[in-house]
Amino acid sequence: MIENTLYPLYTNPYPMVKPKYPYLVLSLFTLFVYQAGAQTITIDDQVFKIDTLYPAAKTSGQWRGLSYPWEVTYGPDDSLWVTETRGYRIVKIHPANKGSRTILNLNNLKDFSYYTAMQAPQGGLMGLAIHPQLLSGKPYVYVALVYHRNDGGDALNNDNCQYGKPAGNDGPCYYTTKILRYTYNVATSTLASPVTVLDRLNGSNDHNSGRLTIGPVESDGQYHLYYTVGDMGAGQFNNLNRPNNAQNTNIYEGKVLRLNTEPDADADDGFFNRWIPNDNPFTHTVTGHKSAVFTFGHRNAQGVVWGNAGGTWRLYSSEHGDVSDDEVNILESGRNYGWPFVAGYADNNYTIHDGSAYPKNDKLAGKNIGYEDTFAVNHNVKEPIFTFFSPDKTIIQGYDWPSNAANYWPNIYTWQTVAPSSIDFYDRMYIPNWRNSLLVTSLKFGMFRLKLNTTGTGISGDTIRYLTNNRVRDLAINPTGDTLFFAIDSSGSTSGPTGGFSGSTVETRNPGFILRMVYMKTLPQVSLPERKPTPPVHEMVKIYPNPASNTLYVAAPKNTSKPLVLRVFDMNGRQLFELQNNKDIFAINLRSAPRGIYIVKLYNGIGINLATEKVIIQ
């Protein structure tokens, strides 16, 4: 174990290196350069320095992170604004000196405890959005929070989320959410004068979504606030029998909402009309009031961001799939995004099966569905621009489906999800080749960088992973674009058959931390000067030669599930580093490696240990 002098930031670092040649040369011990309080890693030929921004020091002798950080936003005051989803605090952190302070505590607004509720809400104090003119006349900060548990005689009376109820209670658990606007006092660095933007939003113990963002000035000359509200987990777990309202435009569930940042001149009649833009696409069919709904048919869109690519502003979102088909969407006013009748592309992958071996394969949200393509055509469904782990053998950074995919992907328990938790848009020039990229954080695999095409309407090129095996909840980008900040979740529990990092709940690396990743440089790409070795003729893993001096080769059977993961340990069992590669055969440069004996382990793309070898470097 190589420890950070502040904290063991990465006891098991995971860089991802994208191969550009059949034999990629990697330096075994120059891949990481450890500095006081920081580490450097190389990913896709680019060098980054990573350290811990929060906590800056130990508390009571321990390293204590935030209580489930949900939102991290870089404000116009050059501070990070962070919400604690369970701590119900808004914390500001100085990105240079690591100073921090609580500027607002909202615990007094909620009437439940995470420690006594049987089914606590997924998300509590959630999204935060800062008005672009915070320091120039519009000192407004918007927050969304789950604040009320609907039991004990409420209209939606349900006591299954009360503490102490017997096991097996599988009814839904209802909560209530609202959006507030606070006024920021620059002189005192405090938030005060709360105003309710929208209230009586349905909430749940599952799939509240809860992201906020403000876009550019729109055609009406105003800024608008966008909010993602999930489907409440309808159709799964204790919400199995909860109605799914994602297709019902009268109900704010499974939607993206569009709101005013300031009240307009409409009459205030209790329906929040003053906060709902008059040019929104829907009108409530019963009340006749303009609706806040902007788009519908969403499952759990935890990411939403505006980006300008190709000269056009677009609203991008990331959305959790069910057993597969995590989505990246472009949101367009009035459009339907399919859930719960379409997941991912309208490719009928939940409809085509053998009818017996995989009986759950024809269900979405716990219900039988028809053909996805037919529903999409008949209901104005806009398909995503990208999906993760789609069963069409889409390659995601080496995760390609096996040759027998026709038999493989219908099995609900072997499908893959990344659990996309947020999305951001990189529009800076600082990091080479990053401009016009979508950055999608994941609760299972760190962060994915998706390069947009020139028009911003699709994804082109490879998908690169960063901070692998960190459960990343959100990220922020500094104004120059050289630094990224990551909010790390406090536990590693992801629901569903693909939960956790490997199908189970695990402890999270860097729990509750804010990590800082600074771009350093891009390395020149060189090809391997040595002669291409002859692969082994037998279908076995080969790590050779042994003893090794200048170069170590790794060869796996053809079509082994990718990426291949190589981990190197010293003789005390301390992991020194890890690298990943998408080729069956690759090479490692040993010229600068210290002489000695090492343990080398090779894993395939689904985590199976293929080989363990004791390697002598001489």
Side-chain angles (χ1 to χ4, degrees):
M1 181 186 300
I2 301 176
E3 294 191 355
N4 186 313
T5 57
L6 288 179
Y7 184 85
L9 178 63
Y10 286 120
T11 59
N12 185 4
Y14 287 78
M16 168 61 71
V17 180
K18 180 185 67 174
K20 295 184 179 180
Y21 297 91
Y23 299 92
L24 181 68
V25 180
L26 301 174
S27 177
L28 186 59
F29 288 94
T30 59
L31 195 60
F32 298 94
V33 180
Y34 293 89
Q35 302 173 353
Q39 301 168 358
T40 60
I41 63 172
T42 300
I43 304 173
D44 193 38
D45 304 325
Q46 293 181 329
V47 181
F48 299 88
K49 181 179 74 174
I50 300 178
D51 69 350
T52 302
L53 186 68
Y54 185 97
K58 291 182 179 180
T59 302
S60 302
Q62 298 182 18
W63 292 97
R64 299 181 183 222
L66 298 165
S67 177
Y68 292 83
W70 186 274
E71 181 85 31
V72 54
T73 296
Y74 200 103
D77 58 346
D78 286 325
S79 293
L80 291 178
W81 298 61
V82 184
T83 62
E84 284 184 313
T85 189
R86 296 192 183 182
Y88 276 73
R89 297 186 306 155
I90 299 176
V91 178
K92 282 184 66 176
I93 303 173
H94 196 292
N97 63 25
K98 301 188 179 183
S100 62
R101 72 161 80 177
T102 298
I103 63 169
L104 187 63
N105 190 322
L106 295 171
N107 272 280
N108 64 324
L109 294 188
K110 65 181 175 67
D111 61 8
F112 59 89
S113 169
Y114 276 91
Y115 305 103
T116 59
M118 173 177 282
Q119 297 287 351
Q122 184 187 80
L125 176 58
M126 300 177 291
L128 177 147
I130 301 173
H131 197 287
Q133 297 175 335
L134 179 79
L135 304 180
S136 55
K138 307 289 183 182
Y140 303 132
V141 176
Y142 307 80
V143 295
L145 68 154
V146 182
Y147 72 96
H148 177 61
R149 187 177 63 200
N150 300 66
D151 53 31
D154 281 357
L156 293 176
N157 186 15
N158 188 289
D159 61 3
N160 291 307
C161 53
Q162 289 183 353
Y163 179 74
K165 289 294 175 181
N169 237 323
D170 59 355
C173 182
Y174 292 91
Y175 285 86
T176 303
T177 300
K178 62 183 174 183
I179 300 172
L180 299 174
R181 188 190 76 178
Y182 283 86
T183 298
Y184 180 60
N185 187 315
V186 177
T188 61
S189 293
T190 57
L191 293 169
S193 306
V195 176
T196 300
V197 176
L198 198 62
D199 202 349
R200 302 192 297 274
L201 289 166
N202 292 339
S204 174
N205 67 295
D206 206 8
H207 292 189
N208 287 304
S209 294
R211 289 289 176 197
L212 287 166
T213 192
I214 298 176
V217 174
E218 299 185 30
S219 58
D220 61 357
Q222 303 296 320
Y223 290 102
H224 291 288
L225 178 70
Y226 292 81
Y227 177 69
T228 68
V229 53
D231 69 348
M232 308 291 112
Q236 68 175 17
F237 309 122
N238 66 293
N239 292 289
L240 180 65
N241 297 316
R242 182 169 182 158
N244 195 301
N245 295 306
Q247 290 292 315
N248 185 343
T249 57
N250 284 342
I251 299 177
Y252 294 165
E253 297 179 4
K255 308 295 189 296
V256 174
L257 308 182
R258 180 175 180 257
L259 301 161
N260 293 324
T261 56
E262 298 180 78
D264 60 25
D266 289 353
D268 185 5
D269 57 3
F271 288 91
F272 307 101
N273 291 342
R274 301 181 66 195
W275 293 96
I276 297 176
N278 292 320
D279 60 349
N280 271 9
F282 297 102
T283 299
H284 196 287
T285 60
V286 176
T287 67
H289 291 285
K290 183 62 71 171
S291 169
V293 172
F294 181 70
T295 59
F296 66 102
H298 298 286
R299 182 174 183 264
N300 188 19
Q302 288 189 356
V304 61
V305 67
W306 280 91
N308 189 327
T312 301
W313 283 100
R314 294 180 177 85
L315 185 59
Y316 298 94
S317 75
S318 60
E319 182 167 338
H320 288 250
D322 189 355
V323 292
S324 187
D325 289 307
D326 296 321
E327 299 178 358
V328 175
N329 289 295
I330 295 177
L331 303 182
E332 296 178 355
S333 178
R335 295 300 297 270
N336 182 358
Y337 289 80
W339 186 258
F341 299 102
V342 179
Y345 301 113
D347 53 10
N348 297 323
N349 58 320
Y350 291 87
T351 318
I352 302 172
H353 63 100
D354 64 10
S356 59
Y358 310 109
K360 295 183 179 180
N361 189 55
D362 58 352
K363 294 181 184 295
L364 288 175
K367 305 291 184 181
N368 291 320
I369 65 165
Y371 283 91
E372 292 180 296
D373 57 355
T374 302
F375 183 88
V377 170
N378 293 335
H379 294 85
N380 192 33
V381 171
K382 182 172 176 58
E383 291 188 288
I385 62 171
F386 184 84
T387 65
F388 292 89
F389 294 118
S390 294
D392 61 357
K393 302 183 184 180
T394 299
I395 296 177
I396 307 296
Q397 189 58 36
Y399 282 89
D400 53 335
W401 295 83
S403 57
N404 63 338
N407 297 322
Y408 182 84
W409 61 256
N411 187 344
I412 191 171
Y413 295 108
T414 57
W415 288 22
Q416 296 285 337
T417 62
V418 305
S421 49
S422 72
I423 190 170
D424 214 326
F425 181 78
Y426 190 90
D427 59 355
R428 319 305 202 264
M429 298 291 292
Y430 200 96
I431 307 178
N433 199 41
W434 275 48
R435 184 171 171 81
N436 291 340
S437 290
L438 295 176
L439 308 180
V440 180
T441 62
S442 164
L443 299 180
K444 297 182 181 181
F445 299 110
M447 184 194 78
F448 292 86
R449 179 167 64 85
L450 312 177
K451 181 72 172 178
L452 287 164
N453 59 23
T454 56
T455 62
T457 58
I459 305 301
S460 62
D462 292 321
T463 303
I464 313 299
R465 290 187 297 165
Y466 303 78
L467 295 181
T468 305
N469 268 31
N470 273 279
R471 184 178 167 90
V472 182
R473 177 61 68 177
D474 193 21
L475 81 151
I477 308 167
N478 75 341
T480 59
D482 66 318
T483 304
L484 278 67
F485 304 91
F486 298 92
I488 309 300
D489 216 350
S490 296
S491 74
S493 176
T494 298
S495 60
T498 55
F501 295 125
S502 57
S504 62
T505 298
V506 297
E507 292 186 3
T508 305
R509 188 173 282 109
N510 309 311
F513 284 26
I514 305 298
L515 301 184
R516 175 171 55 187
M517 185 172 85
V518 182
Y519 170 76
M520 306 298 287
K521 63 180 178 179
T522 297
L523 300 174
Q525 181 68 54
V526 295
S527 58
L528 182 67
E530 302 181 36
R531 184 175 59 88
K532 176 178 176 181
T534 302
V537 295
H538 49 81
E539 289 298 305
M540 296 178 62
V541 172
K542 184 72 172 178
I543 300 174
Y544 61 99
N546 192 7
S549 54
N550 293 327
T551 305
L552 183 69
Y553 296 100
V554 178
K558 187 177 180 181
N559 295 325
T560 299
S561 177
K562 303 299 188 305
L564 296 177
V565 180
L566 187 78
R567 296 172 183 166
V568 177
F569 303 81
D570 65 17
M571 293 305 294
N572 293 320
R574 296 177 298 186
Q575 181 169 312
L576 301 177
F577 80 101
E578 173 184 290
L579 62 88
Q580 301 183 21
N581 200 286
N582 295 322
K583 299 296 182 180
D584 294 325
I585 303 174
F586 58 94
I588 303 169
N589 187 348
L590 303 178
R591 291 185 179 90
S592 61
R595 309 300 94 177
I597 302 175
Y598 300 91
I599 302 297
V600 177
K601 295 185 178 183
L602 185 70
Y603 298 83
N604 66 9
I606 58 175
I608 297 175
N609 182 214
L610 303 178
T612 299
E613 297 283 348
K614 183 183 293 185
V615 175
I616 300 173
I617 299 178
Q618 62 181 18

